[in-house]
Amino acid sequence: MSHPDKLIRKGLPKGHFKDVAVRFLLGGGTYFIVLIAALLFGKIIVDGAPVLFKAEAPFVDFDFLTAKNQTLHVFDDAQGTRHQLPASEYSEYLKKNEGKEIFNEQSYSYSGGGIAGPIVGTALLTVGSMIIALFFGVCAAIYLSEYAKQSPFIHAVRLAILNLAGIPSIVFGLFGFSVFVLAVPVITAAPSDRSLLVIPLLIGDYVMSFQGWNSSLMAGCATLACMILPVIITASEESLRAVPQGFRDASLAMGATRWQTIRKCVLPFSLPGILTSSLLSIARVAGETAPIMFTAAVAAKDDLPWQGLKSPFDLLSSQVQALPYHIYTLAARIPNSEYTQRAQFGSVFVFLLLVAFLSAGSMILRAKLRAKLKW
Amino acid sequence: MSQEEKTARPPGHRFQKRGLSFDGAIKYFFASNAGLTIVILILIIVFLLKEGLGFFPGYRRELEIYRVAGLEFVDISRKNLTAQEQLTSLLNRAYFAEINGKSAREIRRTQEASALFNAYTDQIGATRDLVVNNTQEGSHPNPQMMATLMANYEKQKTKALSSLPATPHLTESERAALIDSIRGRAVDATEDPPLVAKLAEEYAAAQQKHAEPLQAVRATIDTFESSGSELSGLISEMTETVTATKAKLSEADLLEKDRKTLLAAAASAKDPAEREKLTAEAHASLAEIPDTEGPIQLLLERRPACIEIHEKLRQAASGIPSQLPADFSQPEANRLLGVARKAWPVFLSDLGKTPAEINSWKHDKPVALTTAIGSFLTGKDWVTGGEWQDFYGILPLAAGSLMISIVALVIAIPTGIGAAIYVNQFASPWEQSTIKPVIEFIQAIPSVVLGFIGILVFGTVLRDLSMSDSLSWVPGFPIEERLNIFTAGCLLALMSIPTIFSLAEDAINNVPGAYAEASEALGASRIQTTFRVIIPAAFSGILAAILLGLGRVIGETMVVLLVAGNRIKIPDFTSGFGTFFQPAHTLTGIIAQELGEVPLGSVHYRALFVVGIALFAVVLAINATAHRFVNQMKH
């Protein structure tokens, strides 16, 4: 009986219309949000998908994903045919057609070629920061969940985590800039002028100079790691606490030490959960722009990060392109025209696809894990 | 678990002598990692303060130079001149609003005709140029090539003609005639189509006709406009002197700083010869203290003349309001006139106070540190990299952040909480399982993507929408700037809706089921139960959700940097609701925009860190309050 009050009273219940109106209003608002979200995704998909996908096999325009980013030159030749060439092909064209005139030439920076540089840079930044954040984050979570008792220290740690989680990303940008770019110690033979402090190491000419890592992949990773640390700690701690207490008690009863218990009986069971929730943090790290604007990202770079390096360490101390910063540049610095739309909507589409995969993957994995792990 | 178990240490274990077991070491290792969060938080605070606190002494010195060099003295008069110019511009705007309002029909028709013609020329421009260039330069162009070019041109022309914009104010026949005349144009025609020219003439005639009865007003405005010329002449004269003094003082400061660096280097140099050299260099670069007294005295001698000019201006200005018409026929013109009338007494009283200000100004009054702090907190200008004087006032940025947050919250609170109530209380299980992930997925959209959508799509759509006549009753429409407070607020609302939604939904979900059961047992309807029992019980949680949403909005950077319009000015509140359609700048945006360009260690650089401190403090306070509400809920 879905309407028990009908048994008692005939007709519509009192206040029925008010009831319907309120429901309609609330539901309308809810579906309005959903509609806006759908429109937003729709616009990006409609304009972005044709850049990445093609009608004929192999259906995906791999050039867009693997080519370097270049300036796009748009011009007419004497026959009135319109050419759109990225910088490298443009110079070839000029060489081949020497002496011929071209008309109506316009160039659009960042709009030609593909987005390999930003994709690779984002991947490097994400992987680097996740390695740092996962290491420190999981260790901190182990302490909080396995060792910690009520103490002023724990209280301070919890307060710090809570506060770190609320700090705006641009403040992390300021922090990363003043600490990792300008102040962390490096070991070098030739300290910079603006070094804060120089400590002689007594090995050759080497000194420890507090001069920072400059704007580099390393500084960007460290900044992002600091930003994501509270999220990782909270998620890992939740995952560790989900392991039943009985596991630990049994292990300790068998005479295992605390560390053996953690290593053999807690970590293996909580690791899938930790990794799943960190997938969501990866999506967040990949999407951040403000913290890397001054610490790692560069708008235009000719080489991929590993090209032209003398030692592998140069990779860490070089600037990289990054997808979010690339999108910022595309949106803020170049006009919107039919020639720049390919780069603009294509980049956004790829970026959104990436983030969507990461977050959807984490949601699905989490659901599966919850279903599987029943203690 | 709470009991610390003792494991037998193997004899001769390496930590045993120090009383530290292997397990204990591991525990401390983990503890140190947990402590890292505290270290990071402390580092953030320390470095923000380290860079930020140096700002105030530096700013104080800049203000001191500003005063000693006499720039402050000139600014007393400049302030009045600016006010006079603003009033003039208000009156001019009112005058033209009146004329244009009366000839609105002609304006629209002209605009539509030229918009149509421009849309056409934009599209065919490139191919047309090719044809024209080839016929002019090469006297014997290749006929085959010319044919291709002409074919291209014709093709482009057909395409352009088929996609012309709508012209609601032109009659059908007029539009057809216009299109015909465009179609029949020669390739190298340069004159406008006849209808465009005719409409432009009609427009000019209408303007003239409506300007006729307003001649007296025009004359009044012109008189007022010219009354400021004497003051502006005096100011530009004084400006030359004072900027020269300021430049000398700043240079002396730099030299002094260099000297100190050299002396410090000399003190730490190991080699005595090197030390000698550095010390000598330091002494050689000793800056001569620039003479400020002379120029200042010259400036002060001008006092009587300056006061006299102000008196004259005041007399000229006081008669103006009575000569202006009581009201105009166009509402926009009337509004502007009203604003001017309201500002007039303020302007006059400011002018009246000026002589006293000029007389009491002292160039040697010291600038206190509190003045620097106060003028940072209450300053109405954020002017950097200017030739005149840099001011670092946080008010325009705070106002921008606040206005954008207000717009975002006004949109996000009802929708976010409404959605939470709907999903939790009224939705079917199927709706629950679809709506929730969709809204949570919005949270995953990176903010730069939202900013991108705002700058490329939403801003343009909103402006085009505001142009339509059917919406002209909305205050503030049509929008002048594509990127403004409202656009940014809408996008930020979308960003904060998921936060508010999921936290509010949690709070509603956490209300014990017994409350609802008891209420329903008493015969309350579902709506009554929801709004009288469940919402009040979840109230503190919902408040926390709103506050955390606010924290997210204030701290957001990329959207506001891209979409808010980046104009550093306190919004002009006189335009009523239209204030929300003005561009603004924000606390977060200014850091992101300027940090990359400032010299390290400069006052400007430090000012950005102070803005960072302010932001940090505000967001922490908001979050702390939110968590207090969450804790309240638990009890």
PDB file of all heavy atoms in Angstrom, chain A residues 19 30-31 40 103-104 136 139 143 166-167 245 258-259 355, chain B residues 1 5 23 26 31 33 130 419 431 444 494 527 616 619 623:
ATOM      1  N   ASP A  19       3.298  20.484  -1.494  1.00  0.00           N
ATOM      2  CA  ASP A  19       4.232  19.373  -1.527  1.00  0.00           C
ATOM      3  C   ASP A  19       4.821  19.196  -2.923  1.00  0.00           C
ATOM      4  O   ASP A  19       6.042  19.141  -3.118  1.00  0.00           O
ATOM      5  CB  ASP A  19       3.445  18.124  -1.125  1.00  0.00           C
ATOM      6  CG  ASP A  19       4.342  16.963  -0.781  1.00  0.00           C
ATOM      7  OD1 ASP A  19       5.081  16.502  -1.658  1.00  0.00           O
ATOM      8  OD2 ASP A  19       4.268  16.543   0.376  1.00  0.00           O
ATOM      9  N   THR A  30      18.096  20.586  -9.019  1.00  0.00           N
ATOM     10  CA  THR A  30      19.059  19.488  -9.153  1.00  0.00           C
ATOM     11  C   THR A  30      19.321  19.169 -10.617  1.00  0.00           C
ATOM     12  O   THR A  30      20.474  19.061 -11.039  1.00  0.00           O
ATOM     13  CB  THR A  30      18.502  18.240  -8.450  1.00  0.00           C
ATOM     14  OG1 THR A  30      18.035  18.633  -7.175  1.00  0.00           O
ATOM     15  CG2 THR A  30      19.569  17.188  -8.315  1.00  0.00           C
ATOM     16  N   TYR A  31      18.230  19.048 -11.371  1.00  0.00           N
ATOM     17  CA  TYR A  31      18.432  18.709 -12.779  1.00  0.00           C
ATOM     18  C   TYR A  31      19.059  19.849 -13.546  1.00  0.00           C
ATOM     19  O   TYR A  31      19.720  19.633 -14.565  1.00  0.00           O
ATOM     20  CB  TYR A  31      17.104  18.267 -13.408  1.00  0.00           C
ATOM     21  CG  TYR A  31      16.769  16.859 -13.013  1.00  0.00           C
ATOM     22  CD1 TYR A  31      15.785  16.584 -12.093  1.00  0.00           C
ATOM     23  CD2 TYR A  31      17.504  15.805 -13.552  1.00  0.00           C
ATOM     24  CE1 TYR A  31      15.516  15.295 -11.703  1.00  0.00           C
ATOM     25  CE2 TYR A  31      17.242  14.504 -13.175  1.00  0.00           C
ATOM     26  CZ  TYR A  31      16.248  14.256 -12.251  1.00  0.00           C
ATOM     27  OH  TYR A  31      16.005  12.974 -11.876  1.00  0.00           O
ATOM     28  N   LEU A  40      28.285  21.555 -20.542  1.00  0.00           N
ATOM     29  CA  LEU A  40      29.706  21.851 -20.484  1.00  0.00           C
ATOM     30  C   LEU A  40      30.520  20.738 -21.137  1.00  0.00           C
ATOM     31  O   LEU A  40      31.341  20.971 -22.027  1.00  0.00           O
ATOM     32  CB  LEU A  40      30.065  21.988 -19.009  1.00  0.00           C
ATOM     33  CG  LEU A  40      31.161  22.928 -18.614  1.00  0.00           C
ATOM     34  CD1 LEU A  40      30.901  23.378 -17.211  1.00  0.00           C
ATOM     35  CD2 LEU A  40      32.468  22.247 -18.724  1.00  0.00           C
ATOM     36  N   PHE A 103      50.673  35.495 -49.297  1.00  0.00           N
ATOM     37  CA  PHE A 103      49.825  36.620 -48.901  1.00  0.00           C
ATOM     38  C   PHE A 103      49.117  36.339 -47.584  1.00  0.00           C
ATOM     39  O   PHE A 103      48.963  35.190 -47.175  1.00  0.00           O
ATOM     40  CB  PHE A 103      48.764  36.888 -49.974  1.00  0.00           C
ATOM     41  CG  PHE A 103      49.350  37.176 -51.322  1.00  0.00           C
ATOM     42  CD1 PHE A 103      49.477  36.164 -52.257  1.00  0.00           C
ATOM     43  CD2 PHE A 103      49.797  38.450 -51.631  1.00  0.00           C
ATOM     44  CE1 PHE A 103      50.030  36.422 -53.483  1.00  0.00           C
ATOM     45  CE2 PHE A 103      50.347  38.707 -52.865  1.00  0.00           C
ATOM     46  CZ  PHE A 103      50.470  37.696 -53.801  1.00  0.00           C
ATOM     47  N   ASN A 104      48.639  37.383 -46.991  1.00  0.00           N
ATOM     48  CA  ASN A 104      47.786  37.282 -45.793  1.00  0.00           C
ATOM     49  C   ASN A 104      48.387  36.380 -44.724  1.00  0.00           C
ATOM     50  O   ASN A 104      47.703  35.563 -44.136  1.00  0.00           O
ATOM     51  CB  ASN A 104      46.403  36.742 -46.136  1.00  0.00           C
ATOM     52  CG  ASN A 104      45.721  37.567 -47.194  1.00  0.00           C
ATOM     53  OD1 ASN A 104      45.847  38.778 -47.181  1.00  0.00           O
ATOM     54  ND2 ASN A 104      45.042  36.905 -48.105  1.00  0.00           N
ATOM     55  N   PHE A 136      55.927   9.665   1.858  1.00  0.00           N
ATOM     56  CA  PHE A 136      55.774  10.352   3.149  1.00  0.00           C
ATOM     57  C   PHE A 136      54.359  10.193   3.696  1.00  0.00           C
ATOM     58  O   PHE A 136      54.168  10.037   4.903  1.00  0.00           O
ATOM     59  CB  PHE A 136      56.131  11.832   3.014  1.00  0.00           C
ATOM     60  CG  PHE A 136      57.587  12.067   2.782  1.00  0.00           C
ATOM     61  CD1 PHE A 136      58.050  12.549   1.581  1.00  0.00           C
ATOM     62  CD2 PHE A 136      58.511  11.770   3.770  1.00  0.00           C
ATOM     63  CE1 PHE A 136      59.400  12.755   1.361  1.00  0.00           C
ATOM     64  CE2 PHE A 136      59.860  11.953   3.564  1.00  0.00           C
ATOM     65  CZ  PHE A 136      60.305  12.449   2.350  1.00  0.00           C
ATOM     66  N   CYS A 139      53.791   6.629   5.168  1.00  0.00           N
ATOM     67  CA  CYS A 139      54.538   6.492   6.425  1.00  0.00           C
ATOM     68  C   CYS A 139      53.832   7.257   7.550  1.00  0.00           C
ATOM     69  O   CYS A 139      53.682   6.741   8.665  1.00  0.00           O
ATOM     70  CB  CYS A 139      55.957   7.016   6.263  1.00  0.00           C
ATOM     71  SG  CYS A 139      56.968   5.954   5.252  1.00  0.00           S
ATOM     72  N   TYR A 143      51.979   5.766  11.058  1.00  0.00           N
ATOM     73  CA  TYR A 143      52.191   6.236  12.417  1.00  0.00           C
ATOM     74  C   TYR A 143      50.859   6.597  13.066  1.00  0.00           C
ATOM     75  O   TYR A 143      50.574   6.192  14.193  1.00  0.00           O
ATOM     76  CB  TYR A 143      53.125   7.446  12.423  1.00  0.00           C
ATOM     77  CG  TYR A 143      53.405   7.925  13.819  1.00  0.00           C
ATOM     78  CD1 TYR A 143      54.253   7.225  14.650  1.00  0.00           C
ATOM     79  CD2 TYR A 143      52.787   9.064  14.316  1.00  0.00           C
ATOM     80  CE1 TYR A 143      54.487   7.634  15.941  1.00  0.00           C
ATOM     81  CE2 TYR A 143      53.013   9.490  15.602  1.00  0.00           C
ATOM     82  CZ  TYR A 143      53.868   8.770  16.417  1.00  0.00           C
ATOM     83  OH  TYR A 143      54.083   9.169  17.696  1.00  0.00           O
ATOM     84  N   GLY A 166      43.261  22.944   3.793  1.00  0.00           N
ATOM     85  CA  GLY A 166      42.432  24.089   3.442  1.00  0.00           C
ATOM     86  C   GLY A 166      43.165  25.213   2.749  1.00  0.00           C
ATOM     87  O   GLY A 166      42.545  26.149   2.286  1.00  0.00           O
ATOM     88  N   ILE A 167      44.491  25.131   2.681  1.00  0.00           N
ATOM     89  CA  ILE A 167      45.257  26.257   2.129  1.00  0.00           C
ATOM     90  C   ILE A 167      45.026  26.364   0.618  1.00  0.00           C
ATOM     91  O   ILE A 167      45.082  25.366  -0.091  1.00  0.00           O
ATOM     92  CB  ILE A 167      46.757  26.072   2.434  1.00  0.00           C
ATOM     93  CG1 ILE A 167      46.982  26.161   3.931  1.00  0.00           C
ATOM     94  CG2 ILE A 167      47.584  27.121   1.724  1.00  0.00           C
ATOM     95  CD1 ILE A 167      48.403  25.931   4.340  1.00  0.00           C
ATOM     96  N   GLN A 245      41.009  -5.240  13.440  1.00  0.00           N
ATOM     97  CA  GLN A 245      41.925  -5.261  14.572  1.00  0.00           C
ATOM     98  C   GLN A 245      42.420  -6.679  14.862  1.00  0.00           C
ATOM     99  O   GLN A 245      43.556  -6.879  15.283  1.00  0.00           O
ATOM    100  CB  GLN A 245      41.201  -4.677  15.783  1.00  0.00           C
ATOM    101  CG  GLN A 245      42.043  -4.459  16.997  1.00  0.00           C
ATOM    102  CD  GLN A 245      43.154  -3.466  16.732  1.00  0.00           C
ATOM    103  OE1 GLN A 245      42.995  -2.535  15.938  1.00  0.00           O
ATOM    104  NE2 GLN A 245      44.284  -3.672  17.360  1.00  0.00           N
ATOM    105  N   ARG A 258      55.903  -5.368  16.321  1.00  0.00           N
ATOM    106  CA  ARG A 258      54.962  -4.420  15.762  1.00  0.00           C
ATOM    107  C   ARG A 258      55.236  -4.184  14.271  1.00  0.00           C
ATOM    108  O   ARG A 258      54.337  -4.147  13.454  1.00  0.00           O
ATOM    109  CB  ARG A 258      55.095  -3.100  16.556  1.00  0.00           C
ATOM    110  CG  ARG A 258      54.224  -1.971  16.097  1.00  0.00           C
ATOM    111  CD  ARG A 258      52.762  -2.164  16.436  1.00  0.00           C
ATOM    112  NE  ARG A 258      52.534  -2.274  17.848  1.00  0.00           N
ATOM    113  CZ  ARG A 258      51.848  -1.380  18.564  1.00  0.00           C
ATOM    114  NH1 ARG A 258      51.331  -0.333  17.971  1.00  0.00           N
ATOM    115  NH2 ARG A 258      51.669  -1.548  19.846  1.00  0.00           N
ATOM    116  N   TRP A 259      56.537  -4.043  13.966  1.00  0.00           N
ATOM    117  CA  TRP A 259      56.903  -3.765  12.571  1.00  0.00           C
ATOM    118  C   TRP A 259      56.553  -4.957  11.675  1.00  0.00           C
ATOM    119  O   TRP A 259      56.038  -4.794  10.578  1.00  0.00           O
ATOM    120  CB  TRP A 259      58.382  -3.414  12.493  1.00  0.00           C
ATOM    121  CG  TRP A 259      58.957  -3.408  11.104  1.00  0.00           C
ATOM    122  CD1 TRP A 259      60.049  -4.086  10.681  1.00  0.00           C
ATOM    123  CD2 TRP A 259      58.478  -2.667   9.973  1.00  0.00           C
ATOM    124  NE1 TRP A 259      60.285  -3.837   9.359  1.00  0.00           N
ATOM    125  CE2 TRP A 259      59.332  -2.961   8.898  1.00  0.00           C
ATOM    126  CE3 TRP A 259      57.405  -1.799   9.767  1.00  0.00           C
ATOM    127  CZ2 TRP A 259      59.153  -2.427   7.629  1.00  0.00           C
ATOM    128  CZ3 TRP A 259      57.233  -1.265   8.502  1.00  0.00           C
ATOM    129  CH2 TRP A 259      58.097  -1.572   7.451  1.00  0.00           C
ATOM    130  N   VAL A 355      41.677  13.173 -17.046  1.00  0.00           N
ATOM    131  CA  VAL A 355      41.163  13.332 -15.681  1.00  0.00           C
ATOM    132  C   VAL A 355      39.951  12.436 -15.467  1.00  0.00           C
ATOM    133  O   VAL A 355      39.799  11.811 -14.414  1.00  0.00           O
ATOM    134  CB  VAL A 355      40.825  14.815 -15.428  1.00  0.00           C
ATOM    135  CG1 VAL A 355      40.135  14.977 -14.106  1.00  0.00           C
ATOM    136  CG2 VAL A 355      42.071  15.647 -15.465  1.00  0.00           C
TER     137      VAL A 355
ATOM    138  N   MET B   1      45.839  -2.961  21.990  1.00  0.00           N
ATOM    139  CA  MET B   1      46.819  -2.343  21.096  1.00  0.00           C
ATOM    140  C   MET B   1      47.569  -1.247  21.804  1.00  0.00           C
ATOM    141  O   MET B   1      48.670  -0.892  21.446  1.00  0.00           O
ATOM    142  CB  MET B   1      46.084  -1.689  19.929  1.00  0.00           C
ATOM    143  CG  MET B   1      46.132  -2.398  18.610  1.00  0.00           C
ATOM    144  SD  MET B   1      47.526  -3.393  18.287  1.00  0.00           S
ATOM    145  CE  MET B   1      48.365  -2.407  17.101  1.00  0.00           C
ATOM    146  N   GLU B   5      54.336  -3.333  23.628  1.00  0.00           N
ATOM    147  CA  GLU B   5      54.870  -4.648  23.970  1.00  0.00           C
ATOM    148  C   GLU B   5      56.395  -4.633  23.927  1.00  0.00           C
ATOM    149  O   GLU B   5      56.989  -3.865  23.165  1.00  0.00           O
ATOM    150  CB  GLU B   5      54.312  -5.738  23.039  1.00  0.00           C
ATOM    151  CG  GLU B   5      54.825  -5.683  21.637  1.00  0.00           C
ATOM    152  CD  GLU B   5      54.003  -4.712  20.817  1.00  0.00           C
ATOM    153  OE1 GLU B   5      53.343  -3.812  21.400  1.00  0.00           O
ATOM    154  OE2 GLU B   5      54.044  -4.841  19.616  1.00  0.00           O
ATOM    155  N   ASP B  23      62.681  -1.880  16.459  1.00  0.00           N
ATOM    156  CA  ASP B  23      61.267  -1.509  16.358  1.00  0.00           C
ATOM    157  C   ASP B  23      61.029  -0.060  16.760  1.00  0.00           C
ATOM    158  O   ASP B  23      60.258   0.655  16.138  1.00  0.00           O
ATOM    159  CB  ASP B  23      60.438  -2.434  17.266  1.00  0.00           C
ATOM    160  CG  ASP B  23      59.485  -3.257  16.431  1.00  0.00           C
ATOM    161  OD1 ASP B  23      59.873  -3.602  15.291  1.00  0.00           O
ATOM    162  OD2 ASP B  23      58.378  -3.540  16.910  1.00  0.00           O
ATOM    163  N   ILE B  26      62.025   2.208  14.030  1.00  0.00           N
ATOM    164  CA  ILE B  26      61.006   2.277  12.975  1.00  0.00           C
ATOM    165  C   ILE B  26      59.856   3.178  13.395  1.00  0.00           C
ATOM    166  O   ILE B  26      59.352   3.980  12.622  1.00  0.00           O
ATOM    167  CB  ILE B  26      60.528   0.853  12.642  1.00  0.00           C
ATOM    168  CG1 ILE B  26      61.577   0.195  11.776  1.00  0.00           C
ATOM    169  CG2 ILE B  26      59.197   0.880  11.928  1.00  0.00           C
ATOM    170  CD1 ILE B  26      61.218  -1.144  11.273  1.00  0.00           C
ATOM    171  N   ALA B  31      57.051   8.335  12.912  1.00  0.00           N
ATOM    172  CA  ALA B  31      56.631   9.548  13.615  1.00  0.00           C
ATOM    173  C   ALA B  31      57.213  10.777  12.935  1.00  0.00           C
ATOM    174  O   ALA B  31      56.536  11.808  12.788  1.00  0.00           O
ATOM    175  CB  ALA B  31      57.065   9.482  15.072  1.00  0.00           C
ATOM    176  N   ASN B  33      57.859  11.130   9.863  1.00  0.00           N
ATOM    177  CA  ASN B  33      57.100  11.420   8.647  1.00  0.00           C
ATOM    178  C   ASN B  33      55.801  12.133   8.964  1.00  0.00           C
ATOM    179  O   ASN B  33      55.371  13.006   8.221  1.00  0.00           O
ATOM    180  CB  ASN B  33      56.801  10.134   7.882  1.00  0.00           C
ATOM    181  CG  ASN B  33      58.004   9.687   7.101  1.00  0.00           C
ATOM    182  OD1 ASN B  33      58.587  10.463   6.367  1.00  0.00           O
ATOM    183  ND2 ASN B  33      58.410   8.449   7.298  1.00  0.00           N
ATOM    184  N   LEU B 130      43.624  39.124 -52.565  1.00  0.00           N
ATOM    185  CA  LEU B 130      44.450  38.389 -53.528  1.00  0.00           C
ATOM    186  C   LEU B 130      44.129  38.838 -54.947  1.00  0.00           C
ATOM    187  O   LEU B 130      45.026  39.130 -55.748  1.00  0.00           O
ATOM    188  CB  LEU B 130      44.195  36.898 -53.400  1.00  0.00           C
ATOM    189  CG  LEU B 130      45.050  36.175 -52.366  1.00  0.00           C
ATOM    190  CD1 LEU B 130      44.665  34.728 -52.313  1.00  0.00           C
ATOM    191  CD2 LEU B 130      46.518  36.333 -52.708  1.00  0.00           C
ATOM    192  N   ALA B 419      19.671  20.604  -4.034  1.00  0.00           N
ATOM    193  CA  ALA B 419      19.966  19.306  -4.639  1.00  0.00           C
ATOM    194  C   ALA B 419      20.231  18.259  -3.570  1.00  0.00           C
ATOM    195  O   ALA B 419      19.790  17.109  -3.682  1.00  0.00           O
ATOM    196  CB  ALA B 419      21.157  19.433  -5.576  1.00  0.00           C
ATOM    197  N   GLU B 431      17.388   7.773  -9.257  1.00  0.00           N
ATOM    198  CA  GLU B 431      17.868   9.153  -9.371  1.00  0.00           C
ATOM    199  C   GLU B 431      19.089   9.362  -8.477  1.00  0.00           C
ATOM    200  O   GLU B 431      20.065   9.988  -8.868  1.00  0.00           O
ATOM    201  CB  GLU B 431      16.763  10.124  -8.938  1.00  0.00           C
ATOM    202  CG  GLU B 431      15.758  10.422 -10.021  1.00  0.00           C
ATOM    203  CD  GLU B 431      14.694  11.374  -9.520  1.00  0.00           C
ATOM    204  OE1 GLU B 431      14.129  11.130  -8.440  1.00  0.00           O
ATOM    205  OE2 GLU B 431      14.454  12.374 -10.201  1.00  0.00           O
ATOM    206  N   ALA B 444      35.750  16.918 -10.273  1.00  0.00           N
ATOM    207  CA  ALA B 444      36.998  16.459 -10.877  1.00  0.00           C
ATOM    208  C   ALA B 444      37.451  17.350 -12.033  1.00  0.00           C
ATOM    209  O   ALA B 444      38.581  17.249 -12.461  1.00  0.00           O
ATOM    210  CB  ALA B 444      36.843  15.026 -11.363  1.00  0.00           C
ATOM    211  N   LEU B 494      29.603  26.841  -9.974  1.00  0.00           N
ATOM    212  CA  LEU B 494      29.631  25.466 -10.469  1.00  0.00           C
ATOM    213  C   LEU B 494      30.716  24.666  -9.761  1.00  0.00           C
ATOM    214  O   LEU B 494      30.558  23.475  -9.482  1.00  0.00           O
ATOM    215  CB  LEU B 494      29.884  25.486 -11.981  1.00  0.00           C
ATOM    216  CG  LEU B 494      29.685  24.163 -12.689  1.00  0.00           C
ATOM    217  CD1 LEU B 494      28.262  23.697 -12.539  1.00  0.00           C
ATOM    218  CD2 LEU B 494      30.046  24.271 -14.149  1.00  0.00           C
ATOM    219  N   ILE B 527       7.177  16.901   3.624  1.00  0.00           N
ATOM    220  CA  ILE B 527       7.763  18.238   3.518  1.00  0.00           C
ATOM    221  C   ILE B 527       7.973  18.830   4.898  1.00  0.00           C
ATOM    222  O   ILE B 527       9.015  19.389   5.210  1.00  0.00           O
ATOM    223  CB  ILE B 527       6.816  19.153   2.713  1.00  0.00           C
ATOM    224  CG1 ILE B 527       6.628  18.616   1.313  1.00  0.00           C
ATOM    225  CG2 ILE B 527       7.313  20.585   2.706  1.00  0.00           C
ATOM    226  CD1 ILE B 527       7.668  19.020   0.347  1.00  0.00           C
ATOM    227  N   PHE B 616      45.813  33.437   3.245  1.00  0.00           N
ATOM    228  CA  PHE B 616      46.043  32.301   4.137  1.00  0.00           C
ATOM    229  C   PHE B 616      45.226  32.473   5.413  1.00  0.00           C
ATOM    230  O   PHE B 616      44.496  31.559   5.826  1.00  0.00           O
ATOM    231  CB  PHE B 616      47.545  32.285   4.443  1.00  0.00           C
ATOM    232  CG  PHE B 616      48.017  31.194   5.345  1.00  0.00           C
ATOM    233  CD1 PHE B 616      48.275  29.930   4.848  1.00  0.00           C
ATOM    234  CD2 PHE B 616      48.241  31.443   6.684  1.00  0.00           C
ATOM    235  CE1 PHE B 616      48.740  28.925   5.678  1.00  0.00           C
ATOM    236  CE2 PHE B 616      48.697  30.449   7.523  1.00  0.00           C
ATOM    237  CZ  PHE B 616      48.954  29.188   7.016  1.00  0.00           C
ATOM    238  N   VAL B 619      41.319  32.226   4.718  1.00  0.00           N
ATOM    239  CA  VAL B 619      40.841  30.877   4.438  1.00  0.00           C
ATOM    240  C   VAL B 619      40.942  29.994   5.679  1.00  0.00           C
ATOM    241  O   VAL B 619      40.040  29.202   5.965  1.00  0.00           O
ATOM    242  CB  VAL B 619      41.626  30.283   3.252  1.00  0.00           C
ATOM    243  CG1 VAL B 619      41.262  28.839   3.053  1.00  0.00           C
ATOM    244  CG2 VAL B 619      41.323  31.062   1.998  1.00  0.00           C
ATOM    245  N   ASN B 623      37.862  28.030   7.456  1.00  0.00           N
ATOM    246  CA  ASN B 623      37.877  26.584   7.661  1.00  0.00           C
ATOM    247  C   ASN B 623      37.758  26.223   9.137  1.00  0.00           C
ATOM    248  O   ASN B 623      37.080  25.261   9.494  1.00  0.00           O
ATOM    249  CB  ASN B 623      39.155  25.983   7.080  1.00  0.00           C
ATOM    250  CG  ASN B 623      39.084  25.900   5.575  1.00  0.00           C
ATOM    251  OD1 ASN B 623      38.057  26.208   4.986  1.00  0.00           O
ATOM    252  ND2 ASN B 623      40.155  25.509   4.955  1.00  0.00           N
TER     253      ASN B 623
END
